[in-house]
Amino acid sequence: MIKAVFFDIDGTLLSHASGGVPESARRALALLAERGVPRFLATGRHILEIHRLLPDLSFDGCVTLNGQICLDGQEHILFDAPFPPADARQAVSIFRRREAPAMLVQRDRMYINFVDGAVRQAQRAISSPIPPAGTYQEGPIYQLIVYGGGAEAGAALRQLPGCKMSRWNDHAVDILPRSGGKVLGIGQFLRRLSLDWSEIMAFGDGENDVDMLRCAGVGVAMGNAEAAVKAAADYVTADVDQDGIYRALEHYGLL
């Protein structure tokens, strides 16, 4: 029996074609709430971006930054996993050397070293503004986003032995601690709710969703998902713009 549902945002809840959440997905979220099924986000996004993209939706908790910060329904931090100190220092050095556009992600800030065409293309693809320029002050680093092709990302990753990367665009990758990922964050909520992986459903469409779809009792890939994501899923639903979320929840008897 499914007792909680986890949703990716980009390409899953949020359509970049329309720039919003389809009405059918909104209706599905409301029906889950009426039936007492907890609804969680599991995203690579920062909470500041979630406020901008989903301003009128609420959830029972959020796995943000690919599992590096987990927030409860009131946005209190339940769990966080910043870069190990040596990798954090190296991430700041990569940022400061400006060999490629890079964004540092901290608990309350996201800022970039410089902007080029790759940054503009990647941000446009996810309905997001160009990030503000900034300088590192102090504090934990939770994610490093590197823009450009594979060479730039590979060069950065080789300098961060405690990290791994997940590509979310042809021009951008997220770099996070090797132990991180959405599975890490979801596991925090399962322990607090005394739930087993077999008791949850997860929706996603991108590379950073593969592990959570494999682990969930029911992993659902959107129709617009990449081939590898569909291969990892138990069920492939319709596209985000074709009522994919509603159809899958209806198929499994949750609505």
Side-chain angles (χ1 to χ4, degrees):
M1 179 180 177
I2 298 301
K3 297 180 180 178
V5 185
F6 289 78
F7 298 94
D8 172 51
I9 293 179
D10 295 280
T12 301
L13 274 177
L14 180 71
S15 164
H16 291 299
S18 69
V21 177
E23 186 55 41
S24 62
R26 292 176 176 274
R27 188 162 67 253
L29 290 171
L31 289 171
L32 287 176
E34 287 178 14
R35 286 157 175 71
V37 179
R39 309 152 310 147
F40 298 91
L41 291 176
T43 178
R45 295 280 196 170
H46 194 287
I47 189 61
L48 297 175
E49 297 178 293
I50 295 171
H51 290 161
R52 177 177 58 80
L53 294 167
L54 309 176
D56 58 343
L57 292 177
S58 61
F59 295 86
D60 296 285
C62 300
V63 175
T64 71
L65 301 180
N66 290 311
Q68 302 316 113
I69 297 181
C70 294
L71 307 168
D72 66 15
Q74 289 72 49
E75 298 185 6
H76 301 133
I77 293 180
L78 297 177
F79 167 81
D80 71 330
F83 274 32
D87 286 313
R89 289 191 294 271
Q90 191 59 36
V92 172
S93 176
I94 290 169
F95 177 87
R96 286 173 171 165
R97 291 201 305 271
R98 295 169 57 92
E99 293 169 356
M103 183 193 300
L104 286 179
V105 182
Q106 298 188 266
R107 181 180 296 181
D108 301 311
R109 299 178 64 208
M110 302 176 67
Y111 48 95
I112 198 165
N113 53 3
F114 71 94
V115 174
D116 68 359
V119 176
R120 295 186 183 92
Q121 289 185 58
Q123 294 300 110
R124 188 182 309 118
I126 59 169
S127 307
S128 294
I130 301 299
T135 57
Y136 177 72
Q137 307 293 325
E138 59 180 12
I141 304 295
Y142 290 90
Q143 200 160 266
L144 175 70
I145 299 175
V146 178
Y147 296 86
E152 292 87 349
L157 190 62
R158 285 192 293 273
Q159 301 172 63
L160 299 164
C163 295
K164 62 182 178 181
M165 73 177 183
S166 176
R167 182 167 293 281
W168 51 267
N169 183 272
D170 289 343
H171 303 285
V173 300
D174 291 336
I175 296 180
L176 60 151
R178 189 175 296 280
S179 61
K182 294 185 180 183
V183 167
L184 174 69
I186 292 173
Q188 300 299 318
F189 283 107
L190 298 189
R191 282 188 281 277
R192 285 170 169 77
L193 296 169
S194 297
L195 293 179
D196 185 78
W197 281 95
S198 64
E199 297 176 300
I200 71 165
M201 178 183 288
F203 285 79
D205 74 306
E207 180 180 314
N208 62 347
D209 298 317
V210 168
D211 287 348
M212 78 168 180
L213 297 190
R214 286 177 175 157
C215 291
V218 177
V220 180
M222 304 301 290
N224 46 278
E226 302 167 9
V229 183
K230 291 178 179 178
D234 299 294
Y235 182 74
V236 178
T237 188
D239 287 14
V240 59
D241 292 301
Q242 296 174 344
D243 306 328
I245 286 177
Y246 192 97
R247 291 187 186 188
L249 291 170
E250 187 175 50
H251 174 80
Y252 281 97
L254 290 176
L255 300 184

